[in-house]
Amino acid sequence: MAKVITPRQEDYSRWYTDVIIQSQMADYSPVKGCMVIRPLGYALWEAIQRELDARFKETGHENAYFPLFIPESFLHKEAEHVAGFAPELAVVTHGGGKELEEALIVRPTSETIIYAMFAKWIRSYRDLPVLINQWANVVRWEMRTRLFLRTTEFLWQEGHTAHVSEAEAEEEALTILEIYRRFAEEHMAIPVYTGVKTESERFAGALRTYSIEALMQDKKALQAGTSHNLGQNFAKAFEVKYQTKDGTWEHVWSTSWGVSTRLVGALVMAHGDDNGVSFPPRLAPLQVVIVPIWKTDEEKSRIAEAARLAAEELKGACRVKVDLRDEVSPGWKFNEWELKGVPLRLEIGPRDLEKNQFTAVRRLDRRKTAVPRDGLLAHVGPLLEEIQADMLEKGRAFLRENTRDAKSYDELKRGLEETGGFFRAHWCGSADCEKRIKDETKATIRCIPLEGNREDGTCLRCNGASRRWVYFARSY
Ligand SMILES: [Zn+2]
């Protein structure tokens, strides 16, 4: 029956593709580099959207929508920005059967078109701050693609804000970074490191880029979200000005920030195993599946009835489904729901019925517990929360065990080959050293922590003075 999933030990990359295809989260599309997100994958994206959207709104942001097409000239207004995106742009030259007077870019990100509108809308300090978010698709013509992690078209949210001062923009960028960090840990059960990107790794046109960095099971880092303080770069390029209280005109200070469907890939890579994907209860599209087990017809009617009643009781409090299919065996059902990542399975067979209980099995570790049928609801909620907490704890232990100090360049090189993971190491701050380390080891500086990393040392590569360590890792 089930197709074979390549074990992680054998080939992590093939395992990743296998579990996504076989759990039916996504499929390859007829257009190279694009993917079709199937209902299971899309339900996860919707859960991510729902949670993040609530947090954005709690912090004063509003959703809006800007067009997919951007006039080509807009991209040329910010020099670094166009240089950063030029190689991966999709360009529309014809529309309605005619060649267009000006080519249109399919948005790779929306800064340029949003700033053109901000310039129209913002006049006075009273109009600020502007706090906007957009849920949209974007296109970046990637040469090497992977389901969810890097696709030519992907879904994301992009926040764009305008402020009266640099301090306010900085506060906004850091507020969002914290929202991303907490979401990753509290909902995705994926602990992350946060910090600022080096100059060479920051967003094209930004003053500072902050990121959250997670560690996948193959010990490679994954950048899971970014928040940029754009300074006045885009405001100047698009003439976004406001009149101050004193009547003078100033450019606004702005930020942009985003997470994408890449987070779905992160969930798969962080929690999946050789049996399939595994989702944390808070985001799992289906949290509980009830599987009745019977042999005789007499058993069947009583057990199916108990399963249905339980589903009825749980509905409303959690996302639950009862699997009454006759044509497949209980074992087959167990495999299927494990493959699809349902965090909790409730089994009920003749012996359970006799004892007036369900056998609860956690997807995380297949740990079994008996749960009384009376007051089932009161038991399932805490069980789901316990799974959520245990998944985060497992992630924390993994991150801790795979974060090491590299005291010398040799130690870093050896560590990258032997264990992988994050390495705390000293770097002098020069772009030249950073580039050479990247060329020689394929590891990049994932981020410079904002605190807790001050100490005197010497740069791994040049032995120059360094006052703080940074995180190095190979990454996706
Ligand atoms: Zn150096």
Side-chain angles (χ1 to χ4, degrees):
M1 39 145 246
K3 287 158 234 117
V4 180
I5 294 172
T6 307
R8 287 165 295 174
Q9 286 295 339
E10 195 183 307
D11 185 340
Y12 187 78
S13 168
R14 272 194 46 203
W15 164 81
Y16 174 74
T17 307
D18 284 355
V19 290
I20 287 178
I21 298 289
Q22 290 188 33
S23 65
Q24 302 184 348
M25 292 179 68
D27 207 343
Y28 293 105
S29 89
V31 181
K32 194 170 171 284
C34 293
M35 71 168 169
V36 177
I37 306 176
R38 301 185 70 176
L40 177 59
Y42 200 76
L44 276 157
W45 178 237
E46 285 178 315
I48 290 169
Q49 266 188 315
R50 195 168 53 235
E51 295 299 337
L52 280 175
D53 201 61
R55 275 161 187 73
F56 297 154
K57 284 173 179 159
E58 274 164 21
T59 43
H61 302 86
E62 296 176 300
N63 287 333
Y65 189 79
F66 295 82
L68 171 69
F69 300 121
I70 299 175
E72 193 175 29
S73 58
F74 280 30
L75 256 88
H76 293 278
K77 291 190 182 183
E78 216 288 338
E80 266 184 60
H81 190 66
V82 70
F85 282 104
E88 45 191 57
L89 295 178
V91 185
V92 180
T93 55
H94 288 72
K98 286 187 197 142
E99 185 166 354
L100 302 173
E101 269 176 43
E102 179 178 0
L104 298 174
I105 306 293
V106 180
R107 64 183 164 215
T109 178
S110 302
E111 273 78 7
T112 56
I113 194 145
I114 289 178
Y115 283 90
M117 300 314 294
F118 279 4
K120 223 169 131 180
W121 299 337
I122 297 169
R123 284 282 169 271
S124 150
Y125 69 91
R126 283 184 227 91
D127 299 327
L128 296 170
V130 174
L131 306 172
I132 276 180
N133 177 59
Q134 153 165 283
W135 291 96
N137 58 341
V138 287
V139 167
R140 296 178 187 175
W141 217 261
E142 300 280 0
M143 289 302 140
R144 301 189 56 184
T145 57
R146 298 194 68 189
L147 295 169
F148 288 111
L149 296 183
R150 181 165 280 121
T151 48
T152 298
E153 178 191 8
F154 57 91
L155 306 181
W156 78 344
Q157 60 73 213
E158 47 180 321
H160 296 275
T161 68
H163 306 266
V164 292
S165 66
E166 178 170 16
E168 210 184 287
E170 181 70 8
E171 194 189 329
E172 165 77 8
L174 292 172
T175 297
I176 296 297
L177 184 72
E178 181 64 5
I179 288 177
Y180 288 161
R181 183 191 69 76
R182 289 190 58 178
F183 174 74
E185 301 191 348
E186 293 170 9
H187 284 81
M188 296 178 58
I190 300 178
V192 292
Y193 289 130
T194 61
V196 65
K197 288 282 188 186
T198 64
E199 209 176 310
S200 61
E201 298 277 333
R202 74 188 177 198
F203 177 70
L207 206 60
R208 274 185 293 282
T209 288
Y210 299 100
S211 72
I212 57 171
E213 302 282 333
L215 191 65
M216 302 295 104
Q217 291 181 61
D218 62 348
K219 321 284 177 71
K220 277 163 78 174
L222 183 87
Q223 177 178 297
T226 50
S227 177
H228 318 287
N229 180 339
L230 300 175
Q232 291 177 308
N233 291 343
F234 284 91
K236 284 179 178 160
F238 286 85
E239 283 299 306
V240 186
K241 287 181 169 177
Y242 73 97
Q243 200 165 22
T244 64
K245 276 182 192 168
D246 309 326
T248 58
W249 287 86
E250 301 282 348
H251 287 103
V252 300
W253 299 82
S254 60
T255 78
S256 69
W257 28 275
V259 299
S260 70
T261 31
R262 171 171 253 227
L263 291 184
V264 178
L267 280 171
V268 172
M269 286 204 294
H271 300 303
D273 61 22
D274 293 348
N275 300 312
V277 294
S278 174
F279 299 124
R282 289 188 187 171
L283 293 177
L286 192 59
Q287 295 171 307
V288 180
V289 62
I290 304 175
V291 180
I293 305 163
W294 59 69
K295 288 209 180 72
T296 66
D297 280 351
E298 195 271 327
E299 279 172 1
K300 179 183 169 180
S301 64
R302 288 162 57 221
I303 288 171
E305 182 57 15
R308 254 196 306 264
L309 280 174
E312 211 45 52
E313 186 184 343
L314 295 178
K315 219 166 64 184
C318 64
R319 299 182 284 278
V320 61
K321 182 186 172 78
V322 49
D323 188 348
L324 292 170
R325 284 177 297 174
D326 241 340
E327 69 277 16
V328 291
S329 71
W332 200 96
K333 293 177 186 177
F334 297 168
N335 289 340
E336 173 163 338
W337 297 116
E338 282 194 357
L339 171 65
K340 289 175 180 285
V342 180
L344 188 66
R345 175 170 86 228
L346 295 178
E347 304 171 4
I348 182 163
R351 215 175 316 155
D352 294 306
L353 193 67
E354 211 171 278
K355 292 187 184 163
N356 207 28
Q357 68 176 32
F358 283 89
T359 300
V361 186
R362 313 195 323 163
R363 169 68 181 88
L364 170 62
D365 49 12
R366 289 193 179 151
R367 207 171 81 196
K368 291 186 180 189
T369 42
V371 182
R373 275 178 72 193
D374 300 323
L376 183 64
L377 188 58
H379 288 91
V380 167
L383 261 177
L384 290 172
E385 277 307 298
E386 187 185 272
I387 295 169
Q388 180 81 32
D390 288 355
M391 287 178 86
L392 176 61
E393 200 34 60
K394 189 181 171 192
R396 283 196 202 287
F398 178 74
L399 184 61
R400 227 173 12 244
E401 283 157 19
N402 288 291
T403 303
R404 298 173 173 86
D405 293 315
K407 297 285 181 209
S408 68
Y409 199 23
D410 271 350
E411 237 179 85
L412 177 71
K413 285 179 181 163
R414 210 171 45 238
L416 285 165
E417 289 306 322
E418 285 171 7
T419 60
F422 282 107
F423 292 89
R424 289 178 291 250
H426 278 277
W427 167 62
C428 63
S430 105
D432 184 50
C433 281
E434 182 186 11
K435 185 175 182 308
R436 279 163 182 269
I437 294 170
K438 181 179 175 180
D439 291 346
E440 289 165 9
T441 67
K442 295 198 216 74
T444 49
I445 297 171
R446 300 316 303 161
C447 66
I448 305 167
L450 301 180
E451 53 191 35
N453 62 334
R454 308 271 175 236
E455 65 175 30
D456 288 333
T458 55
C459 174
L460 275 189
R461 200 173 180 288
C462 72
N463 290 320
S466 154
R467 298 226 150 64
R468 41 116 182 84
W469 53 259
V470 301
Y471 286 116
F472 281 92
R474 286 180 183 157
S475 72
Y476 278 92

